[in-house]
Amino acid sequence: MKAYVYVSLKKSVLDPQGKTIQGALKKMGYADIGEVRQGKYFEITLGGDLQQEQASAEIERIAREVLTNPVIEEFRYRLEQPD
Amino acid sequence: MKAYVYVSLKKSVLDPQGKTIQGALKKMGYADIGEVRQGKYFEITLGGDLQQEQASAEIERIAREVLTNPVIEEFRYRLEQPD
């Protein structure tokens, strides 16, 4: 099973890196670009014999305790069964 | 319209940051964790009057030329219409 965890800055937190990219794109002539925000994502391979709920609980704990700084970041995740 | 661009290291490229997280999780007792790979993602807000195909072409160009280092990274993206 694979888990995808997406970590982004909270809406209320400034994202200078995103702002820089936005400015660069504007200067390059991309007029339709509005806000740009950057985040991280993690692709985690899980052992095959985990149940969906176990995997979900484990990934949520990892995301909250290890991958995210809860003061400024928020996360979402999704699980994907192998084909 | 919103575009989400996901940039990850090519499978053939080592990901030391992911390896470090993987090692840390193993030490913390998460036994079911296999490989961990880290990537970036970008949330881009687009002007409202863009057609789907225009937006798609523009985002693909931005992703290829600005957000990704084609030597070591690959990208995928998706567009999301506002609710």
Side-chain angles (χ1 to χ4, degrees):
Chain A
M1 202 184 305
K2 279 211 162 183
Y4 297 86
V5 181
Y6 306 94
V7 178
S8 54
L9 288 169
K10 285 180 181 171
K11 282 277 166 285
S12 55
V13 177
L14 285 177
D15 178 3
Q17 206 167 356
K19 277 265 174 262
T20 305
I21 297 168
Q22 184 182 346
L25 291 174
K26 279 248 186 287
K27 266 187 212 141
M28 290 170 74
Y30 293 102
D32 302 310
I33 300 300
E35 200 182 16
V36 179
R37 290 184 76 85
Q38 181 169 359
K40 297 176 283 187
Y41 96 90
F42 302 90
E43 209 179 298
I44 303 172
T45 311
L46 290 162
D49 49 348
L50 268 184
Q51 295 304 308
Q52 179 90 18
E53 302 101 77
Q54 286 176 296
S56 180
E58 188 155 323
I59 288 297
E60 193 162 336
R61 219 166 77 219
I62 289 173
R64 183 171 317 108
E65 294 178 359
V66 183
L67 304 178
T68 307
N69 174 355
V71 179
I72 55 167
E73 293 172 330
E74 58 193 7
F75 69 90
R76 63 200 160 78
Y77 68 93
R78 66 184 176 86
L79 296 171
E80 201 174 272
Q81 296 291 346
D83 312 317
Chain B
M1 202 184 307
K2 279 210 166 187
Y4 298 86
V5 181
Y6 305 94
V7 178
S8 54
L9 289 169
K10 286 181 181 171
K11 281 277 166 282
S12 55
V13 177
L14 285 177
D15 179 2
Q17 205 167 357
K19 276 266 174 265
T20 304
I21 297 168
Q22 184 182 347
L25 291 174
K26 279 249 186 288
K27 267 189 211 137
M28 291 171 75
Y30 292 102
D32 302 311
I33 300 300
E35 201 182 15
V36 179
R37 291 185 74 87
Q38 181 170 359
K40 299 176 281 187
Y41 95 90
F42 302 90
E43 209 179 300
I44 303 172
T45 310
L46 290 161
D49 50 348
L50 268 185
Q51 295 303 309
Q52 179 90 17
E53 302 103 76
Q54 286 177 297
S56 180
E58 188 155 324
I59 287 298
E60 193 163 334
R61 219 167 77 217
I62 290 173
R64 184 171 315 111
E65 293 178 359
V66 184
L67 304 178
T68 307
N69 174 355
V71 179
I72 55 167
E73 292 172 332
E74 57 193 6
F75 69 90
R76 62 200 161 76
Y77 68 94
R78 66 184 176 86
L79 295 172
E80 202 174 89
Q81 297 290 348
D83 312 317

